[in-house]
Structure formats: structure tokens, C-alpha cells
Amino acid sequence: MTNISTRFNFFTLAVALLGAALLTGCAREKKDERIVLGFSQIGAESEWRTANTESIKSAAATSNIDLRFADAQQKQENQIKAIRSFIAQKVDVIAFSPVVETGWDTVLQEVKAAGIPVILTDRAVTSDPSLYVGFIGSDFVEEGRKAGRWVIEQFKDQAGDVNIVELQGTVGSAPANDRKKGFEEIISARPNFKVIRSQSGDFTRTKGKEQMEAILKSETRKIHVLYAHNDDMAIGAIQAIEEAGRKPGSEIKIVSIDAVKGAFEAMIAGKLNVTIECNPLLGPQLMTSVTEVVAGRPIPKRIVVDEAVFTMDTAKQHIQQRKY
Ligand code: AHR
């Protein structure tokens, strides 16, 4: 009887020790494991987006974060699929740049139910803020205001109408909605400043060119200003204006947003008047936030990026220092 009991105790102790050893091993293994980040990118629609992707990939590599990157080719359904696949892969954190503002509630609820924290980058959503831990990106309304202020300043002495053509970004996207809103907020104080045409060029050069071609063909009123929600659409529109035998930058003043290298080249060539900076280099801040969240520390709900305004006159001075 005693023998059986002694053997039983040895067995129990051996199992307990083995269990403890396994647990310690697992804990160490977990500690050494890399953080897994699932990131759903919108696509590659602009020079800005290419710089943003590059920033995220290189910051993940230097932070030793295992990045699972998915390109949605500008389709919300592809982003939703990617997010569901990140849930299935049990990643540590999910980050994404939402192509449009609405339609995320269901998938964000699914991520919440899986216990995975979400960080938004670049663009906002209209969903309940409790569905994500933080949002890193620009103040798009302020960018629109800056564009509006520049236009008012340029034409402040003009007594008659100032006719403005607007090329909007992707329909339903936060930057298109907010840049329109900010611009209108400023120019609405001056009734002679009129947006006479407003079309979406989907943030691409090709569509910016197509839309501008159509506008130039059908518009009989003088166009004083082109306001493009990004540099790529402005660059496409510049081609259309030149092909129509008109002079971008002088006959039609052009203001756009992003401050990518292509915009600096257009400003140096005298074809673009001003670009409002929108910083795509969000990778390092995203990786810091991911690390903090995984460590269980809180991150700011909103991280806004500092940005400048660059004009034609100073473009040459700045182009060498531009990182994108
Ligand atoms: O969301 C940021 C915007 O998206 C950039 O202004 C634009 O170029 C991009 O495609």
C-alpha cells in the first residue's frame, strides 16, 4: 500500500515538474516570438500610397515585426476579406487604412470578438471608436482649409467671380469628404469664390486627366483655379490642360495636396502653384503603437501628423530634402 502511494506521489511530482518546465518553456518561447501585424493597405493608387507602403514595410523590418501585408486594390470587399483572414491567422494586431469611411461595423465587431486590437492608419471610419484602439493620420479637414486659404489669398483683390474646378478623391473616402469640407468652410465666407465643377478622379493620375479633359471640353466659363484633392490628380490634370493648349500654373492656378516629389517637379516647372503636405511616413509611429499595444500599454486615441505648405517659389529649395 505504502509502495503504491509512494509511486503515485513520484508520478504526480514528475507530471507537475514536466508541466512547470513546459509552461516556462512556452513563456520563454512566447517572449522571443515576433509580434505579428496584419496590415490591409488600400492599393497603389498614388505616389503618396507607394511611399506609405514603403514606410510601413521598412519600419516593420527595422522593428522586427512580422508584417502580413495585403493590398486591397482600392476595394473595400478585399479589405474586409484580408481582415477576416488576419483573424483566422490569429495575428497580434490588425492595422488598416480604410478605403472608405462607412461599412466597417460588422468586420470590426468580429475583430473585437476575436480579442485582436485594431489600429487605423491614414484614414478614419465612422464606426464606434471603441472598436479600435487608435488612429494615426493627418487632419484632412485642415488640409482642405489650407488649400482654401491659399486660394482666397491669391484672388483676394478680384472683384468678380473666382471660378474653381475641384477634383475630388475616392467617393466616400475620409480625405475626399474632409478636404471638400475644409475647403468649402473657408471659401464660403467669400460668395464670389465658386466651385463651378466638382468630379471624382479617384486619387489617380489617369482619372484626374480624364476628368479634366472632359471639364475643359464642356466648360465655357473661365476657370481660375483647379483644386485637386491630391497631387497625382493634379499632375494628370496638368497634362490635360497642356494638351488643350492652355497654361497650367498661370492661366489656371493649381493647388493640390500631398507634397510628393512629382508635385515639386511640377512646381519647379511652373505648372503647379502650391501643394499642401500630407505625410505618408506613418510606419515608425505605427510600429511604436503596435509594440505598446502588445505590451498592454495605452496609446493615444488620435495621433495627428505635423504638416507644411510648399509653394512654387520655394520648391527648388525643398526638393532635395523630400523623402517621398
Ligand atoms: O489618404 C491619403 C490620400 O490617399 C492621399 O492624399 C492620396 O494621394 C492617397 O491616395
Side-chain angles (χ1 to χ4, degrees):
M1 215 34 207
T2 322
N3 256 352
I4 290 173
S5 142
T6 312
R7 249 186 272 138
F8 179 77
N9 282 340
F10 269 129
F11 180 74
T12 315
L13 184 68
V15 168
L17 284 173
L18 183 68
L22 278 175
L23 274 179
T24 320
C26 285
R28 197 180 306 120
E29 208 181 47
K30 186 77 197 158
K31 207 172 137 214
D32 292 344
E33 258 176 25
R34 294 201 298 160
I35 295 172
V36 181
L37 168 65
F39 185 84
S40 165
Q41 179 60 290
I42 291 173
E45 75 282 5
S46 62
E47 222 178 299
W48 188 100
R49 188 66 54 198
T50 306
N52 180 247
T53 293
E54 179 51 36
S55 170
I56 287 160
K57 287 185 174 173
S58 64
T62 44
S63 311
N64 197 27
I65 286 177
D66 178 1
L67 177 69
R68 312 265 165 96
F69 185 90
D71 178 335
Q73 302 186 335
Q74 277 184 283
K75 290 199 174 78
Q76 183 176 35
E77 68 204 69
N78 290 346
Q79 289 203 288
I80 292 174
K81 266 190 218 151
I83 293 169
R84 289 195 171 127
S85 136
F86 296 145
I87 299 175
Q89 292 172 55
K90 297 188 171 33
V91 301
D92 296 304
V93 180
I94 293 175
F96 73 112
S97 181
V99 61
V100 290
E101 283 192 287
T102 56
W104 301 102
D105 296 1
T106 308
V107 74
L108 286 178
Q109 293 286 2
E110 290 168 26
V111 184
K112 192 179 180 181
I116 301 173
V118 171
I119 301 176
L120 300 178
T121 68
D122 164 34
R123 299 185 181 178
V125 294
T126 53
S127 303
D128 182 344
S130 70
L131 295 172
Y132 54 87
V133 288
F135 166 37
I136 307 165
S138 306
D139 181 343
F140 297 138
V141 179
E142 186 53 27
E143 290 171 352
R145 289 190 194 113
K146 285 177 184 165
R149 288 186 199 113
W150 184 85
V151 173
I152 299 256
E153 181 56 31
Q154 283 298 303
F155 290 90
K156 60 177 188 280
D157 299 327
Q158 183 159 315
D161 286 351
V162 177
N163 294 333
I164 302 163
V165 164
E166 178 184 39
L167 285 179
Q168 294 183 41
T170 303
V171 175
S173 70
N177 294 343
D178 292 354
R179 288 171 183 168
K180 183 172 188 54
K181 186 175 161 201
F183 187 81
E184 280 173 359
E185 185 188 307
I186 297 298
I187 65 157
S188 62
R190 305 284 294 261
N192 62 322
F193 285 68
K194 294 183 173 138
V195 176
I196 56 166
R197 301 288 287 266
S198 186
Q199 298 290 338
S200 171
D202 208 14
F203 283 130
T204 69
R205 281 186 196 200
T206 314
K207 288 194 187 148
K209 182 171 188 253
E210 278 169 18
Q211 292 290 12
M212 196 65 200
E213 275 167 359
I215 291 168
L216 289 169
K217 276 192 194 128
S218 57
E219 186 53 62
T220 52
R221 292 165 285 187
K222 178 171 172 54
I223 300 168
H224 297 95
V225 178
L226 165 65
Y227 166 42
H229 287 191
N230 82 343
D231 291 338
D232 283 79
M233 291 189 295
I235 291 166
I238 286 170
Q239 286 172 24
I241 295 169
E242 287 187 309
E243 283 170 19
R246 321 256 295 256
K247 295 252 172 306
S250 47
E251 193 186 327
I252 301 175
K253 303 271 192 227
I254 307 178
V255 51
S256 64
I257 298 176
D258 278 354
V260 294
K261 278 242 172 82
F264 279 81
E265 285 157 9
M267 287 196 290
I268 292 168
K271 297 174 183 178
L272 175 73
N273 300 85
V274 61
T275 182
I276 316 294
E277 189 178 31
C278 176
N279 191 347
L281 308 179
L282 307 177
Q285 271 166 316
L286 173 61
M287 300 313 148
T288 305
S289 302
V290 166
T291 310
E292 291 298 285
V293 167
V294 171
R297 290 187 285 268
I299 61 163
K301 196 81 189 177
R302 179 78 173 97
I303 300 175
V304 186
V305 188
D306 275 346
E307 288 154 349
V309 174
F310 299 97
T311 58
M312 207 182 231
D313 334 320
T314 58
K316 240 189 183 146
Q317 269 165 248
H318 294 288
I319 192 163
Q320 295 309 333
Q321 291 90 56
R322 300 300 296 160
K323 293 200 180 76
Y324 54 93

